[in-house]
Amino acid sequence: MLDRIRIVLIGTSHPGNIGATARAMHNMGLSDLALVAPRCEPLTSDSISRASGADHIVHAARVVGSLVEAIADCTLAVGASARSRTLPWPMIAPRELGSRLPLELADAEARVALVFGREDSGLSNAELQRCHAHVHIPTNPDFSSLNLAAAVQVLAYECRLAWLEAGSDVDAQDDEPHQPLASHRELEHYFAHLERTLIAIGFHDPTQPRQLMARLRRFTLRARPERMELNILRGILSATEKCSATPGSERDEGTP
Ligand code: SAH
């Protein structure tokens, strides 16, 4: 289970925080680290010394250009944020997040990403809106922002606690018949298709977005669609596109 939890750091600017994150991860048995557009060299004497023997995690870290790339294969992404946002998103407490993980990761194909922001400005709204839920570590409201690696430590600890509590057979719990959930890559393709179609039928004006796509994103992510369900929705979009592009289209067929 712990092998399929990815820590994603976006735009990190201090190598020491990358090293300290690797240490926090290795302490808790996590190993999958992705760095999105880091604003520093990840491997420096500072990061290696702060990793204190967990530098193999920094060496193995995948460096990618975008969040979308970092979480493409994930079935659940949770964004860690110290602040509340204007368009509220489903919130989950750290302990609740941990307790959901054994079930989330019961399917051997499932992967979870925990996404962390920049030291100076955190996560953008667009980045948070790519996540299914947000997690806030309850801190002193007058001083709520933890050091990046400290925030990773707290959530990695919750992952380990949940794994210990679930027992060692957590990875073998996959006996329920199920349909695989859609991955982030599949969801992103769906959102792009949805936006295209809504523009084509005149429902969505990208010059006056009014949070439409963000709201539809929140609604869809909340539903946790299966791959099969997303395929049905994409089929509906294709039929809608075809219908709106055809003059005297099927829309009129059969109407008196
Ligand atoms: N100054 C930034 C916070 C940066 S701290 C801001 O105002 O948003 C770096 C990252 O650590 C954050 O982006 C977040 O992912 C994580 N973090 C820090 N404190 C947190 C908290 N209380 N709860 C959840 N995540 C937190």
Side-chain angles (χ1 to χ4, degrees), residues 9 25 27 32 52 81 99 102 123 127 139 148 154 170 208 247:
L9 304 186
M25 289 173 64
N27 282 146
D32 186 354
S52 288
S81 177
S99 66
L123 291 168
E127 287 159 352
T139 40
L148 172 59
V154 171
V170 59
Q208 290 197 327

Side-chain angles (χ1 to χ4, degrees), residues 136-167:
H136 174 73
I137 301 164
T139 40
N140 175 358
D142 299 327
F143 194 61
S144 63
S145 174
L146 288 159
N147 161 265
L148 172 59
V152 173
Q153 182 74 79
V154 171
L155 295 189
Y157 171 67
E158 292 297 341
C159 296
R160 184 161 192 87
L161 212 57
W163 177 68
L164 290 171
E165 276 170 13

Side-chain angles (χ1 to χ4, degrees), residues 157-226:
Y157 171 67
E158 292 297 341
C159 296
R160 184 161 192 87
L161 212 57
W163 177 68
L164 290 171
E165 276 170 13
S168 55
D169 60 349
V170 59
D171 293 312
Q173 278 180 3
D174 193 12
D175 43 10
E176 289 275 310
H178 64 276
Q179 283 286 327
L181 291 177
S183 69
H184 247 269
R185 184 186 288 109
E186 290 157 344
L187 283 161
E188 287 307 318
H189 287 154
Y190 167 71
F191 289 131
H193 195 172
L194 177 63
E195 184 160 22
R196 242 181 10 247
T197 311
L198 295 181
I199 293 170
I201 63 173
F203 187 81
H204 173 44
D205 175 0
T207 61
Q208 290 197 327
R210 297 209 180 117
Q211 306 251 51
L212 175 71
M213 292 314 299
R215 287 178 196 282
L216 289 172
R217 203 173 251 283
R218 180 174 62 175
F219 164 71
T220 310
L221 292 175
R222 194 169 62 224
R224 308 297 312 282
E226 293 170 358

Side-chain angles (χ1 to χ4, degrees), residues 8-10 17 78-83 85 91 94 114-124 127-128 134-140 143-152 154-155:
V8 179
L9 304 186
I10 302 188
N17 279 335
V78 179
S81 177
R83 292 177 284 134
R85 307 289 167 145
M91 289 296 300
L114 305 182
V115 183
F116 297 83
R118 300 155 190 83
E119 292 94 333
D120 48 355
S121 56
L123 291 168
S124 69
E127 287 159 352
L128 280 163
H134 299 168
V135 58
H136 174 73
I137 301 164
T139 40
N140 175 358
F143 194 61
S144 63
S145 174
L146 288 159
N147 161 265
L148 172 59
V152 173
V154 171
L155 295 189

